[in-house]
Amino acid sequence: MPIPNMYSNYSGLSITEETLQDARSSPPNGSSDQMSPSPCPLLYSDYQFTLIPVLYCVIFILGLAGNSVVVAVLCRHHGPKTVANIYIFNLAVADLLCLATLPLWAAYYAYGYNWIFGSVMCKISSSVLCLNMFASIFFITCMSLDRYRAIVHPIRFQRRTLQQASLITFLVWGLACLSSLPTFYFRDTYFIESLGVNACIMAFPYEKYANWSAGTAFMKNALGFLIPLTVIATCYMCIWMHLLKAREFRKNKPKRDKVLRLVVAVVVAFLICWLPFHVLTFMDALVRMRLINNCDITTLIDTTLPFGICMGFANSCINPLLYCFIGHQFQEKLRHLFKLRVYQFNSTRQSSSSRKGSYPKDAETPRDGEKERLNCKPTL
């Protein structure tokens, strides 16, 4: 089905420059934006409007389950707080807030890029999504730095305090809010008469649309990928070299190999999830600036970008596995919480059964089958 060229600023899909030029009134004095890319006729398959919502729903369910368990375990933990737990908790919260908007964007795809939730929800959900994309990546970077200090500089590591971690957490959320301000300011709904849809778009000023579009894309590339990737890769490369040289880890090869595999898994997961989206976002910015005029490349970008966004969302499902469930301490906390819930469940059932058995003898006596069921209370 023919659909005009569309692109993404991560927080939902937006109609492109050339579509807005057709839908809005012509610029004053017949002038045109010198940075506007040449329109390319593109064909979109219907599978995007069915497959993408399904993928979003799967990611939503898996990510919601994993991150909810992380939050529950850390909230129920009665031991002393640690810096790592503060970062993990905030990472899980950021992922949950990010995932909470997925049903809205799934509906956006399912209705053919028609936003049905109103202008306010368009602005709020886009801003929340963008904010928590940055917050999630920033907290992954903080955890990489914290792990580097713990392994490579254990003496300095002991000097860290919870107050420092709380301050860093506050700064991370503040930086994420600042990074999402363009989305909060410009994102709004706009009715595209030629398409018959009420699109949730980045309504940049018409005269500077391409400049704003490219600028926000480059900001996402730098703050959301290049700088964090440089920090994460540097930290884990230093950890790798330190573990290979450390005498205690050379003696315990299985333990060393386990840590090294975790190091590789963290970097590879980050690359696999975020590299496609940021490469496509960068290429789309080049199209906005007319540095790429090939319609085949433009078609490829617009066709694959929705799946690049899905892979970025999938990182919210992988984070609990990488940073929590494979950790020995977190597994112990999870088992403790599970045993506590089972104990409370059994205690409730036993007290309920005791109350039933404490009736006077002249009361109604259970039949033999009912006595057998009382004696066979379920235990987990």
Side-chain angles (χ1 to χ4, degrees), residues 89-128:
F89 177 83
N90 282 274
L91 174 63
V93 170
D95 286 338
L96 284 174
L97 290 174
C98 181
L99 292 166
T101 63
L102 273 187
L104 303 182
W105 299 114
Y108 192 39
Y109 274 101
Y111 283 93
Y113 304 114
N114 186 38
W115 184 263
I116 61 175
F117 304 104
S119 176
V120 175
M121 284 304 299
C122 168
K123 185 178 290 289
I124 292 177
S125 59
S126 300
S127 302
V128 169

Side-chain angles (χ1 to χ4, degrees), residues 106-171:
Y108 192 39
Y109 274 101
Y111 283 93
Y113 304 114
N114 186 38
W115 184 263
I116 61 175
F117 304 104
S119 176
V120 175
M121 284 304 299
C122 168
K123 185 178 290 289
I124 292 177
S125 59
S126 300
S127 302
V128 169
L129 185 61
C130 188
L131 184 152
N132 290 286
M133 176 195 75
F134 283 112
S136 177
I137 294 174
F138 292 163
F139 279 117
I140 292 175
T141 306
C142 289
M143 293 170 63
S144 301
L145 287 168
D146 187 68
R147 185 166 291 171
Y148 163 79
R149 293 181 60 191
I151 296 177
V152 180
H153 302 289
I155 297 179
R156 292 188 212 168
F157 175 77
Q158 295 175 356
R159 300 175 186 172
R160 64 179 185 164
T161 62
L162 296 179
Q163 289 76 13
Q164 292 175 347
S166 300
L167 176 61
I168 292 174
T169 298
F170 178 79
L171 294 176

Side-chain angles (χ1 to χ4, degrees), residues 333-367:
K333 295 175 185 177
L334 183 61
R335 280 194 290 266
H336 176 73
L337 178 62
F338 178 74
K339 292 178 181 178
L340 180 63
R341 291 297 184 186
V342 172
Y343 174 78
Q344 292 175 346
F345 175 77
N346 288 336
S347 298
T348 302
R349 294 298 298 269
Q350 289 174 0
S351 61
S352 176
S353 299
S354 298
R355 286 194 297 271
K356 291 180 180 179
S358 60
Y359 293 150
K361 290 184 178 180
D362 57 352
E364 183 180 353
T365 304
R367 293 185 296 272

Side-chain angles (χ1 to χ4, degrees), residues 112-281:
Y113 304 114
N114 186 38
W115 184 263
I116 61 175
F117 304 104
S119 176
V120 175
M121 284 304 299
C122 168
K123 185 178 290 289
I124 292 177
S125 59
S126 300
S127 302
V128 169
L129 185 61
C130 188
L131 184 152
N132 290 286
M133 176 195 75
F134 283 112
S136 177
I137 294 174
F138 292 163
F139 279 117
I140 292 175
T141 306
C142 289
M143 293 170 63
S144 301
L145 287 168
D146 187 68
R147 185 166 291 171
Y148 163 79
R149 293 181 60 191
I151 296 177
V152 180
H153 302 289
I155 297 179
R156 292 188 212 168
F157 175 77
Q158 295 175 356
R159 300 175 186 172
R160 64 179 185 164
T161 62
L162 296 179
Q163 289 76 13
Q164 292 175 347
S166 300
L167 176 61
I168 292 174
T169 298
F170 178 79
L171 294 176
V172 165
W173 283 109
L175 181 58
C177 288
L178 290 176
S179 302
S180 62
L181 281 180
T183 299
F184 179 79
Y185 184 79
F186 290 110
R187 179 71 67 169
D188 204 349
T189 55
Y190 189 88
F191 182 74
I192 309 298
E193 187 175 357
S194 59
L195 303 178
V197 298
N198 199 38
C200 182
I201 66 171
M202 293 290 283
F204 294 127
Y206 182 86
E207 297 79 5
K208 298 294 183 181
Y209 190 94
N211 291 335
W212 275 101
S213 176
T216 54
F218 291 148
M219 181 193 70
K220 286 180 172 66
N221 288 151
L223 292 180
F225 187 72
L226 292 178
I227 295 176
L229 177 63
T230 302
V231 175
I232 292 171
T234 302
C235 289
Y236 285 117
M237 182 62 66
C238 293
I239 291 174
W240 182 289
M241 297 174 63
H242 177 79
L243 292 178
L244 292 177
K245 295 178 181 179
R247 183 178 303 175
E248 55 189 281
F249 282 96
R250 281 184 299 187
K251 293 180 180 178
N252 193 346
K253 191 174 182 301
K255 181 180 179 180
R256 185 195 68 180
D257 292 343
K258 181 179 180 180
V259 176
L260 292 179
R261 283 195 295 269
L262 175 60
V263 168
V264 173
V266 169
V267 178
V268 170
F270 187 85
L271 280 173
I272 291 177
C273 290
W274 288 112
L275 182 60
F277 166 75
H278 284 284
V279 169
L280 293 170
T281 300

